Each structure stands twice: as structure tokens, then as C-alpha cells.
């Protein structure tokens, strides 16, 4: 039985899928399964997947039409055999030996439900664009809208059981599904930060994140997601989030 399930939703990404598969293989992690959820690609993506499944039994795959990335992610979660899950998009990566490190953390700390580390964002030429260090990730930090947020699932890992209380990814949400889920998850469990580099992401012309950023839609969509969820949270969450935001503002004034 695997201890960690890595889920990769993919559709027509022939230029990245092989590197993604190789990245998981290079982890040299005997306790991982790699679930590839293909949305019915027609560009040769599935041919590459099949080439690797013949040699590597840890790879499982499905190829069928879906309702988008969130739907594919939910299907992958339900297929996962392990207690801990992670998502690796085809244009993202894990740092060397990250998966073994994650398994060891969960093995030694059975009470942990959700952990996050650092993530680096690169351009297509490998230049560093942003270093994401989400050091404060309690619910009152996240709902204060004033702290760095975990930007990519390659750098966070959690137990599948969280979905039993926080729900699955919203099928109709095609852009900020990760952001929405983390906000929900923070209400049910403590997210724990490790100051370690676990994941990386590539900003390229075909990535949804870059397209959304350049069209000025990303911030708008995140804010709309935030407002919708914020309106439903308990009063305690709102009060503590406002107190923390006020505290940080005062601290910045005195430190500035």
C-alpha cells in the first residue's frame, strides 16, 4: 500500500508530461503512487503516459472527458490508495527527495493533517520570479488576507480525510480551486509550515496562472472567491482575522 498519492490532472500537455513523470520517478520514493488523470488528450500526451506505465507499476492512469481540472482532481482523490495526497501539475516539479521527506514527516507526526513548505516560481528559461514562503497559515492568517499564501500544490501535502469535512474541489471553479480549498481546510485543521524548499512551478505562455495574471483576472477571481467564502465563516473567524490584520498593520507602522 503506498503512503503517498501524487495526482496529476492533464489535458493536451505533451510538452510537459514526460518531465512530470520523470520528476516523480527521480524522487526514488518506493512508497508513492502517481495517478495521471487525462482529460482525453489528442496531442500525444497519452502515448507518453502509456510508454512509462509499461515499465513503472507505480503509475496509474485514466483517460476520459471530464468537467475541467477540479473534476479531474476530485476523481484522482477518489482513486488514491494512500492516506496522504499531493497534486503535481504537468508544468510543476518537486525538489529532490521531497517525497521521502514528506512521508517521514507524516510517519513521525501522526496528528499532522496538512503541511506546506516553500515554492519557487520560475520563468520558462529557469529564472527565479518569486520565492513563496507561506510562514503563517493558521485560519486567522489566511482570512486576514495579509499573509503570503501557498501558491502551488507541489509544495503542500495533506491527508485525504480532510475532504470528508472540508468538501472536495468545486467543480465549477476552474481557476482558484486550490485557493478556495486551502481556505476551507484551514477551518478544520492546523496547517503547519516547514521552512524547506519542496516544490517549483514554471510560468509559461500556456499556463492558466500567467494568462490570468496578464489579463488582470487572477486577483479579481481570488478576491471573489475570498469574499464568497468569508461571508459564510463563523463570527469567531472574522473577529480573529480582523484582530490579526490590525495587529500586523500596527506592527508595520512601528517597524517602518
Amino acid at each position: 500500500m503506498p503512503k503517498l498519492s501524487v495526482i496529476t490532472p492533464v489535458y493536451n500537455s505533451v510538452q510537459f508530461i514526460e518531465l512530470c513523470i520523470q520528476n516523480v520517478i527521480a524522487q526514488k520514493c518506493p512508497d508513492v503512487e502517481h495517478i495521471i488523470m487525462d482529460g482525453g488528450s489528442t496531442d500525444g500526451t497519452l502515448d507518453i503516459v502509456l510508454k512509462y506505465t509499461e515499465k513503472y507499476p507505480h503509475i496509474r492512469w485514466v483517460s476520459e472527458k471530464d468537467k475541467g481540472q477540479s473534476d479531474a482532481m476530485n476523481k484522482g482523490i477518489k482513486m488514491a490508495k494512500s492516506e496522504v495526497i499531493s497534486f503535481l501539475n504537468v508544468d510543476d516539479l518537486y525538489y529532490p527527495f521531497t517525497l521521502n521527506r514528506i512521508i517521514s514527516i507524516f510517519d513521525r507526526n501522526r496528528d499532522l493533517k496538512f503541511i506546506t513548505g516553500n515554492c519557487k516560481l520560475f520563468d520558462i528559461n529557469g529564472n527565479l520570479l518569486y520565492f513563496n514562503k507561506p510562514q503563517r497559515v493558521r485560519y486567522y492568517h489566511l482570512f486576514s488576507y495579509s499573509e503570503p499564501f501557498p501558491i502551488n500544490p507541489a509544495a503542500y501535502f495533506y491527508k485525504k480525510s480532510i475532504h470528508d469535512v472540508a468538501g472536495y474541489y468545486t467543480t465549477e471553479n476552474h481557476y482558484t480551486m486550490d485557493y478556495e480549498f486551502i481556505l476551507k481546510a484551514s477551518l478544520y485543521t492546523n496547517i503547519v509550515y516547514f521552512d524547506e524548499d519542496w516544490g517549483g512551478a514554471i510560468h509559461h505562455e500556456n499556463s492558466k496562472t500567467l494568462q490570468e495574471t496578464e489579463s488582470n483576472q487572477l486577483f479579481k477571481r481570488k478576491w471573489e472567491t475570498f469574499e464568497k467564502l468569508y461571508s459564510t465563516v463563523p463570527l469567531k473567524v472574522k473577529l480573529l482575522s480582523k484582530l490579526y490584520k490590525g495587529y500586523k498593520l500596527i506592527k508595520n507602522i512601528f517597524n517602518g
Side-chain angles (χ1 to χ4, degrees):
M1 183 70 68
K3 293 185 177 182
L4 173 62
S5 297
V6 172
I7 302 166
T8 296
V10 59
Y11 178 70
N12 284 346
S13 294
V14 69
Q15 71 271 42
F16 291 112
I17 185 62
E18 189 160 26
L19 290 175
C20 174
I21 293 172
Q22 290 175 348
N23 182 256
V24 175
I25 293 171
Q27 295 286 310
K28 299 186 183 302
C29 180
D31 296 313
V32 68
E33 67 169 351
H34 191 182
I35 301 172
I36 300 174
M37 303 300 300
D38 178 67
S41 295
T42 57
D43 67 342
T45 294
L46 191 57
D47 293 333
I48 294 175
V49 173
L50 292 175
K51 180 181 74 172
Y52 279 90
T53 56
E54 292 176 358
K55 186 177 179 181
Y56 295 97
H58 74 278
I59 300 174
R60 302 166 62 205
W61 64 276
V62 169
S63 183
E64 62 185 17
K65 289 185 178 180
D66 52 47
K67 298 176 183 177
Q69 185 175 348
S70 295
D71 186 35
M73 292 165 72
N74 290 337
K75 289 179 179 180
I77 292 166
K78 294 170 184 177
M79 280 183 60
K81 293 181 178 179
S82 62
E83 182 182 25
V84 179
I85 60 176
S86 174
F87 288 92
L88 183 69
N89 296 319
V90 290
D91 47 2
D92 299 336
L93 58 91
Y94 296 123
Y95 276 80
F97 307 111
T98 290
L99 299 188
N100 284 305
R101 169 63 174 153
I102 297 307
I103 289 173
S104 69
I105 290 174
F106 277 108
D107 279 348
R108 293 200 314 268
N109 304 273
R110 298 301 299 171
D111 291 336
L112 286 178
K113 298 289 180 58
F114 198 127
I115 61 176
T116 185
N118 303 325
C119 184
K120 293 181 178 179
L121 178 63
F122 301 95
D123 66 18
I124 197 67
N125 297 313
N127 299 309
L128 181 64
L129 300 175
Y130 175 59
F131 187 19
N132 178 235
K133 299 185 69 170
Q135 301 175 69
R136 299 173 182 85
V137 281
R138 297 292 295 275
Y139 69 85
Y140 49 84
H141 296 136
L142 300 181
F143 279 95
S144 75
Y145 211 80
S146 62
E147 290 289 350
F149 203 89
I151 64 167
N152 191 280
Y156 59 79
F157 303 79
Y158 62 89
K159 290 186 177 177
K160 186 169 69 168
S161 59
I162 291 178
H163 288 288
D164 294 337
V165 290
Y168 287 81
Y169 292 91
T170 303
T171 304
E172 297 76 23
N173 188 343
H174 303 294
Y175 297 95
T176 59
M177 70 287 284
D178 300 332
Y179 177 66
E180 179 184 19
F181 173 69
I182 293 176
L183 283 174
K184 289 180 179 178
S186 73
L187 298 173
Y188 296 97
T189 188
N190 291 333
I191 301 175
V192 179
Y193 168 73
F194 288 78
D195 189 8
E196 302 173 7
D197 297 349
W198 288 346
I202 302 173
H203 231 25
H204 58 91
E205 61 181 5
N206 293 322
S207 70
K208 286 195 297 185
T209 301
L210 181 59
Q211 293 171 356
E212 288 286 289
T213 301
E214 291 183 341
S215 65
N216 296 317
Q217 289 295 311
L218 184 60
F219 176 80
K220 179 182 177 182
R221 291 187 196 277
K222 285 184 66 176
W223 182 248
E224 289 175 348
T225 299
F226 176 83
E227 282 194 313
K228 182 178 180 180
L229 188 56
Y230 186 79
S231 67
T232 67
V233 300
L235 180 61
K236 172 187 174 182
V237 175
K238 295 177 180 177
L239 290 176
L240 289 177
S241 300
K242 288 180 179 179
L243 284 172
Y244 178 76
K245 190 171 185 177
Y247 156 77
K248 187 173 182 183
L249 178 62
I250 293 171
K251 183 179 178 181
N252 289 339
I253 291 173
F254 279 96
N255 289 340

